[in-house]
Every structure is written in C-alpha cells, then in structure tokens.
C-alpha cells in the first residue's frame, strides 16, 4: 500500500522540490512548461541508468546484436560519425523496443521490474509510456521557434502540437521526423527522434506504408537516409569540381566571400537557405577561435599549413578569413567560408538541418543563424 507523501518530503514526481512546492496542490494537470522541463530532466537521469543496467546485465555481444537489428543490416558502424544517431535514436529503441534473445521483457521493463520501489514516479510513467508507444513518421507542418512544433502523423493524419524548445530552434517548417511521441499527464513529449530530417518529398511513400511494424519503419528510414546521403555526396562532389574548374581556390574565395556576405541580410537569407542549402551565421567570436572549433571537420589531424594556405591576415598577422571543406568518409559534406564575423556554409538542401545542429554543437553561443 502506498504511503502518503508528506509536505516537506521530496516530491514523488522527481523534480527535486519539496512536495508542498510542487505537486501537492496540483489539480491533476501540471503547468505544461514545468511538466515538460521535469520530463526532460527525468529523461536525462533515466537514460544513463538504463545504459548502466544494460551493460552490467547483458551478454558481451548484446550491443552488437542490437545494433545489427537496429540498422536492418545497413553497413553502419557505432563510431563517432554515428554518435548523434546512437544517442538520439538507437538508445531509445534499444531500451524500450528491443528485446534480448530469449527475453520477454524489454531492457526498460526489466529495469522497472528490478528497481520498482526505488524508481521515481515520473520515471515509471516514462518507462511505461515508452514501452507502449512505438516510433512513427511525422510531417512538420508548422514551427514556432523556441516554443512548439505542429506535426501530422502520416499513418493516421492526426494533427499534434508538441511543446519543444530546443528542436523547434533547429528545424525548418518542413520535412519529416522519425520519432516516438509519448503522452504523460496530458503532455506530449518527444522520447527518441532520428537526428536526420527526411525530405518532405517522401511523405506519400511513407504514408502508403500503412503499418506500425517498427522493423519495416526502421528499414525504410535507413533506405531513405542512404539515398539522401548518396545524393548529397554527389551534389557536393559536383560543387567542388565546378569550383576547382572555374578558378584557383584563392580567386574563388575572393569572388565568393563578398557575395555570400551580401546575401546575409534578414530579408533574404531564409530564401537562400531554403533553395540552395546556404546557411549564413553571425560569429560572436574571433576568426581564430572559429578556426580552432571548425578545423577538425576537415579531418582528424588537419594540417594548419594546408588548411590556411589561402587564408587572409591583417597587418599584425591575425587571421581574417579562411575556407575549409567539411569532410566525412573522404567525401565533402559542405564548404565552410569564414570572413570577419560571418560563417557561410554551403551544403545540399537535405543536409541543412543536420549541418545546423552540428554547427551549434561546435560553436554553441558563439554563433547565431541569420534569419532565425
């Protein structure tokens, strides 16, 4: 039998506050902003606990078996290049959807069975909801930056409003999310989301799948992902070849930097980003600081002498501008041009959102996307 929580005891919701200052006077529906923050904090505590539980209680090859099942035999490895996919999609799938061989319960269900009494109430609700709900495809219909995302579930046509501060700052008002939505105390919460936003042109084929079978949905996600990456690599190669054929790198930089800066206005930067995959960022740091943060995108052990062979400096030898390729698997993902307080990034339109997220991870508050 559950004991009543005292006024001055920690609130069972897991917020860390005293019960009297949190849920004691709740009428059954928490403040949405407060509940969303509690869910984020709870998820931040729960996922590492599940990871530790899985590593300590599973067979040595369990992780590799799960990864193979997750990627649907696509040739992907769990390395640094897939880090965002591992953290944002694989682990939520692994803990709540995958069942180890010979087991009837998921990892999260086993965890809850073992630590039911020690698990905070909100974590229990999150585990139960995560195990109940699968992943689905959602079309982004409207974004209110820093506040919410309007979605349409492709399988059902149902429209949903999701409170989401961080993701709403990172995505455009179009595209398709592969995500799991759970409802906790009347609040929708994104509990696992693929880091790559799929092109809206795939909406009809994903709608026509007509299934909730997770392995079929995962297989289609990786098929589309591979197609988009191949198209992006081809476009990047063509772009680099065109630049190299037109003129030497130094002359190309001199011709491009002024034109890119001219486009970086509040009036037209959004149109350029949408049509050409161009992003123009305002730097809140020095050019040398930007170079130090970005140079490893050109390779694991980049040569400063090579990367800065066409850079420009002021009379005191301070770096003013540079251009480097963004390389992945020896392929060009994007072109980066820094000049004074502007960072210009040119990539394929499909890669705008993933590239923007990774730029923010690299530079944090030292950069802001013009037109946001």
């Amino acid at each position: 039998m559950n004991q009543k929580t005292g006024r001055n005891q920690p609130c069972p919701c897991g917020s860390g506050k005293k019960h009297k200052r949190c849920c004691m006077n709740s009428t059954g529906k928490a403040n949405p902003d407060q509940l969303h923050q509690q869910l984020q904090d709870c998820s931040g505590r729960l996922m590492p606990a599940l990871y530790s539980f899985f590593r300590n209680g599973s067979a040595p090859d369990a992780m590799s078996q799960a990864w193979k099942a997750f990627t649907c035999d696509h040739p992907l490895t769990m390395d640094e290049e897939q880090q965002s996919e591992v953290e944002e999609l694989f682990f939520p799938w692994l803990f709540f959807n995958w069942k180890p061989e010979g087991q009837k319960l998921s990892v999260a269900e086993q965890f809850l069975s073992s630590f039911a009494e020690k698990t905070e109430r909100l974590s229990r609700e999150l585990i139960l909801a995560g195990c109940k709900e699968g992943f689905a495809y959602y079309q982004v219909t409207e974004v209110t930056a820093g506040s919410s995302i309007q979605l349409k579930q492709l399988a059902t046509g149902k429209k949903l409003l999701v409170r989401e501060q961080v993701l709403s700052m990172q995505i455009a008002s179009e595209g398709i999310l592969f995500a799991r939505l759970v409802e906790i105390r009347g609040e929708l919460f994104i509990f696992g989301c693929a880091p790559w936003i799929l092109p809206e042109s795939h909406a009809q084929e994903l709608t026509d799948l007509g299934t909730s079978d997770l392995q079929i949905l995962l297989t289609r996600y990786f098929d589309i992902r591979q197609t988009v990456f191949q198209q992006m690599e081809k476009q990047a190669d063509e772009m680099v070849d065109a630049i190299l054929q037109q003129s030497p790198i130094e002359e190309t930089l001199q011709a491009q930097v002024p034109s890119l800066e001219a486009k970086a206005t509040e009036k037209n930067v959004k149109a350029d980003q949408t049509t050409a995959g161009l992003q123009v960022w305002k730097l809140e740091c020095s050019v040398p600081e930007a170079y130090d943060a970005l140079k490893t995108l050109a390779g694991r052990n980049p040569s400063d002498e090579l990367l800065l062979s066409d850079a420009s400096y002021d009379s005191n030898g301070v770096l003013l501008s540079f251009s480097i390729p963004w390389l992945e698997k020896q392929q060009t993902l994007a072109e980066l041009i820094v000049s004074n307080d502007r960072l210009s990034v040119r990539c394929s339109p499909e890669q705008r959102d993933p590239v923007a997220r990774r730029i923010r991870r690299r530079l944090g508050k030292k950069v802001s996307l013009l037109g946001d």
Side-chain angles (χ1 to χ4, degrees):
M1 183 174 179
N2 294 331
Q3 293 182 345
K4 184 177 179 180
T5 304
R7 286 171 51 84
N8 293 311
Q9 290 181 314
C11 186
C13 76
S15 67
K17 299 179 181 180
K18 290 185 178 181
H19 186 43
K20 66 182 180 182
R21 299 189 182 279
C22 192
C23 295
M24 189 180 77
N25 296 319
S26 173
T27 58
K29 202 165 187 178
N31 176 278
D33 290 326
Q34 182 186 38
L35 176 57
H36 186 80
Q37 185 60 53
Q38 290 174 357
L39 286 169
Q40 286 185 319
D41 294 342
C42 180
S43 175
R45 295 188 298 270
L46 178 61
M47 297 302 283
L50 290 173
Y51 179 82
S52 179
F53 176 80
F54 174 77
R55 295 294 291 182
N56 293 333
S58 300
D61 63 343
M63 186 72 78
S64 60
Q65 288 181 2
W67 179 257
K68 184 177 180 180
F70 169 73
T71 57
C72 307
D73 292 327
H74 280 263
L76 297 172
T77 56
M78 289 184 67
D79 54 23
E80 185 177 345
E81 293 180 357
Q82 315 300 335
Q83 182 177 356
S84 59
E85 210 140 39
V86 170
E87 295 177 354
E88 299 172 34
L89 184 59
F90 173 63
F91 283 152
W93 171 87
L94 170 69
F95 299 146
F96 297 93
N97 298 103
W98 183 68
K99 294 180 181 178
E101 188 174 353
Q103 299 287 340
K104 295 183 179 180
L105 300 178
S106 67
V107 175
E109 288 171 325
Q110 294 179 44
F111 175 88
L112 188 58
S113 177
S114 300
F115 303 104
E117 294 184 359
K118 296 181 179 179
T119 303
E120 61 188 74
R121 188 174 71 185
L122 195 58
S123 289
R124 293 199 299 270
E125 293 181 44
L126 203 50
I127 288 173
L128 293 174
C131 293
K132 178 183 176 182
E133 298 295 336
F135 284 80
Y137 289 104
Y138 298 91
Q139 185 174 8
V140 179
T141 58
E142 186 177 341
V143 176
T144 302
S147 177
S148 62
I149 306 172
Q150 182 81 43
L151 301 171
K152 182 179 79 171
Q153 186 174 358
L154 291 180
T156 63
K158 186 177 181 179
K159 295 182 179 180
L160 303 163
L161 180 65
V162 181
R163 192 181 307 276
E164 177 54 62
Q165 294 181 347
V166 178
L167 187 59
S168 65
M169 294 290 290
Q170 298 175 345
I171 64 174
S173 56
E174 61 180 25
I176 299 170
L177 296 180
F178 183 51
R180 170 176 36 226
L181 267 61
V182 297
E183 185 173 346
I184 306 291
R185 304 178 191 177
E187 181 76 6
L188 286 176
F189 181 65
I190 297 178
F191 197 32
C193 181
W196 309 110
I197 311 300
L198 302 181
E200 202 165 79
S201 57
H202 293 278
Q204 190 58 52
E205 66 176 285
L206 292 173
T207 301
D208 293 341
L209 284 176
T211 181
S212 60
D213 187 295
L214 185 52
Q215 284 306 115
I216 294 177
L217 298 180
L218 269 173
T219 299
R220 197 69 199 102
Y221 166 75
F222 282 109
D223 288 344
I224 295 175
R225 177 191 184 278
Q226 184 177 33
T227 299
V228 170
F229 273 40
Q230 290 173 345
Q231 292 173 345
M232 177 271 296
E233 290 175 354
K234 181 180 178 181
Q235 292 170 353
D237 288 342
E238 292 173 349
M239 180 183 72
V240 172
D241 289 343
I243 291 175
L244 293 177
Q245 290 173 7
Q246 288 173 5
S247 60
I249 294 178
E250 183 174 4
E251 295 178 9
T252 302
L253 277 177
Q254 291 174 350
Q256 286 189 352
V257 170
S259 63
L260 291 176
E261 289 184 339
K263 293 179 181 179
T265 64
E266 295 292 336
K267 180 177 180 181
N268 61 18
V269 70
K270 283 189 176 180
D272 283 299
Q273 291 170 343
T274 302
T275 58
L278 172 68
Q279 299 175 0
V280 183
W281 303 73
K282 186 178 188 306
L283 292 172
E284 304 293 345
C285 63
S286 66
V287 174
E289 285 180 299
Y291 174 73
D292 288 338
L294 299 172
K295 65 180 181 180
T296 54
L297 293 173
R300 294 196 175 185
N301 296 297
S303 165
D304 290 338
E305 182 178 357
L306 178 62
L307 293 181
L308 298 176
S309 60
D310 296 292
S312 64
Y313 302 82
D314 65 12
S315 58
N316 296 317
V318 177
L319 185 63
L320 292 179
S321 67
F322 64 89
S323 174
I324 60 174
W326 184 336
L327 302 178
E328 285 195 354
K329 296 183 179 179
Q330 299 181 336
Q331 298 289 337
T332 302
L333 177 67
E335 179 189 12
L336 308 178
I337 299 174
V338 172
S339 179
N340 297 319
D341 66 343
R342 291 290 186 271
L343 163 63
S344 301
V345 182
R346 188 179 293 278
C347 60
S348 68
E350 293 83 0
Q351 286 301 107
R352 288 196 321 271
D353 293 329
V355 163
R357 284 199 296 273
R358 294 171 71 179
I359 288 290
R360 285 190 173 96
R361 289 195 190 109
R362 290 263 173 170
L363 292 167
K365 295 182 179 180
K366 297 178 181 179
V367 70
S368 57
L369 183 61
L370 294 178
D372 266 4

